[in-house]
Amino acid sequence: MTECYLDAEALQKIDACVHCGLCLTACPTYRVTGNEAESPRGRLYLMRALAEESPGVSAQAIQPHIDSCLGCLACQTACPSGVDYETLLSQTRMALLEQQPAWLRVQRRLWLEYILPRQIWLTVLATVLQQFQRIGGPRVLKRLFQNPFIQKVLGPSLQAKVGFIPHIQEIAPLAQEAVYGENIRGRVALMTGCVMNTLFARVHRATIHVLVENGYQVVIPKQTCCGALAHHAGEHDITEKLATQNITSVLQSNPDWIISNAAGCGSTLQHYASICPTNENAKRFAEKADDILAFLDRIELKPPYQSVIMKVAYHAACHLHHAQEVQQQPYSVLSQIPGLDFIPLTEADMCCGSAGVYNMAHSQMSLDILNMKMAHIHDLGPIDAILSANPGCTIQLESGLAQRNLAIPVMHPIEVLALAYTRGGIHPQGHSTHFP
Ligand code: SF4
Ligand code: SF4
């Protein structure tokens, strides 16, 4: 790097760090390694050293420490000095892209730009995986990767990677350009996302059910991937391209609000104004964008029809709790459900290790972080469901539960609320698969 990759404003953001270390224990990678370079303070130090071209500090040397950051933003919540870690991480990742091997970049761009934004590709891939799982493929792979010789040749993290592959249940994505319900209190555009719509369309059906029951018309506008994964990877041009497509097509559906039920997507949608600074409609889009639980907390909810007798614990997804600062709203919305028993989860707002595709790229670290989360879940005692408002977290938690042979469903909070708006009984597993 021949010129400073951070502008003066970004350097000032680093200066806000007073090295107090209050963020260290909030940082999952520091908790696992105890290494300062794997902490927020250490990473900020490295960013500054790179920007100032300090002797002995190169892009290659700091890359592993920036790559291993989950982007969970727990440090930002913990920091009393208000360090804007999110922006600094994003700018550093963008600057380090050129250091990555060309083959890796090409492969990643192929996924981010051509596969994830196309529902057809995701449906095909999920169907192939589902068939592989039905014939017992994962069991065979697991046994194979337990073999010491195979582990030596292919590396021990392969076994962890196989454990993180989602178990495919239902593949029934919602169609675009559909409208549900009457416009009594307003019109909501629902962002269905890519992974969310492929693997968790049941959450969209529950979301539509709750909104329609509360007098909102729900439109599923023509849309593409929100760009969250590209944004976190520092691939700005792909993020901007996807955001631009969404801004144009979603605003054409004339919504009063643009709602997401996936924490990672919601956070990115709310950043569209800074992702597309020259797009005159980006600010309007971002102002309408909101998370479903934050939205429901703002409106007056119609009283639920029935009790939901369940004991649940809530895992606070990082991109809801830290990035969007939606913290009390999920509790406040769910507290309106009669019969629901909340069991507090220790360190509910600590990352589960999923972080987009982090569990595939840094499998051992991800597993170590997941183990901390699972220890807290184990301490809960008997429970009917774990609640999570992000598809990545749901897959990660399901994987941790499966590895421990725990048959506890992971549900989105909106699924529990949808049960309370259902007349005539509750699905025994608590899953709301039959909304509209
Ligand atoms: S974003 Fe998360 S992993 Fe990265 S430095 Fe902050 S707390 Fe640590
Ligand atoms: S809490 Fe904030 S000010 Fe303190 S070391 Fe961490 S980033 Fe720096």
Side-chain angles (χ1 to χ4, degrees), residues 13-24 36 39-42 44 75-85:
K13 288 181 193 241
I14 294 188
D15 284 343
C17 174
V18 294
H19 316 294
C20 64
L22 288 174
C23 54
L24 297 190
E36 176 76 13
S39 77
R41 185 175 63 183
L44 289 168
C75 49
Q76 207 162 270
T77 302
C79 177
S81 301
V83 172
D84 181 0
Y85 185 84

Side-chain angles (χ1 to χ4, degrees), residues 13 30 33 51 99 128 151 274 288 306 344:
K13 288 181 193 241
Y30 180 76
T33 63
Q99 304 299 321
V128 170
Q151 281 193 11
S274 58
K288 285 174 185 275
Q306 65 173 357

Side-chain angles (χ1 to χ4, degrees), residues 271-421:
H271 276 91
Y272 272 10
S274 58
I275 290 168
C276 307
T278 55
N279 185 321
E280 57 187 21
N281 290 318
K283 191 163 177 276
R284 190 154 64 92
F285 183 105
E287 283 169 358
K288 285 174 185 275
D290 207 350
D291 173 76
I292 182 67
L293 297 168
F295 175 74
L296 292 177
D297 186 51
R298 277 207 318 274
I299 64 167
E300 192 183 337
L301 273 181
K302 188 170 150 182
Y305 306 143
Q306 65 173 357
S307 303
V308 178
I309 311 297
M310 286 176 76
K311 217 185 239 191
V312 298
Y314 174 70
H315 157 73
C318 301
H319 278 85
L320 198 57
H321 189 95
H322 300 299
Q324 295 185 54
E325 297 184 11
V326 174
Q327 299 175 352
Q328 287 314 309
Q329 296 92 324
Y331 296 100
S332 144
V333 169
L334 291 168
S335 70
Q336 299 180 52
I337 304 176
L340 196 68
D341 189 4
F342 255 112
I343 311 293
L345 175 64
T346 305
E347 295 189 308
D349 61 345
M350 189 185 70
C351 184
C352 61
S354 165
V357 291
Y358 187 96
N359 57 4
M360 287 293 160
H362 304 271
S363 301
Q364 191 54 53
M365 179 75 87
S366 174
L367 192 60
D368 292 341
I369 293 167
L370 176 61
N371 286 340
M372 291 195 279
K373 178 68 67 178
M374 295 313 298
H376 293 320
I377 289 178
H378 186 265
D379 289 344
L380 292 169
I383 194 136
D384 296 313
I386 309 289
L387 306 186
S388 142
N390 190 51
C393 306
T394 301
I395 292 169
Q396 182 87 342
L397 295 172
E398 283 178 346
S399 145
L401 292 164
Q403 283 163 27
R404 288 159 183 78
N405 294 318
L406 293 171
I408 304 172
V410 184
M411 298 173 70
H412 193 290
I414 198 77
E415 291 184 275
V416 183
L417 190 57
L419 291 173
Y421 283 113

Side-chain angles (χ1 to χ4, degrees), residues 26-29 39-40 43 69-75 85:
C27 175
T29 54
S39 77
R43 290 181 174 115
C69 172
L70 296 141
C72 68
L73 305 183
C75 49
Y85 185 84

Side-chain angles (χ1 to χ4, degrees), residues 3 28 55 89-90 115 129 141 150 157 174 181 186 236 239 257 270 287 308 312 317 322 343 372-373 385 395:
E3 60 185 62
L89 177 67
S90 170
I115 299 177
L129 185 55
L141 280 184
I150 302 279
S157 70
L174 250 64
H236 181 72
T239 318
W257 300 275
Q270 289 166 40
E287 283 169 358
V308 178
V312 298
H322 300 299
I343 311 293
M372 291 195 279
K373 178 68 67 178
I395 292 169

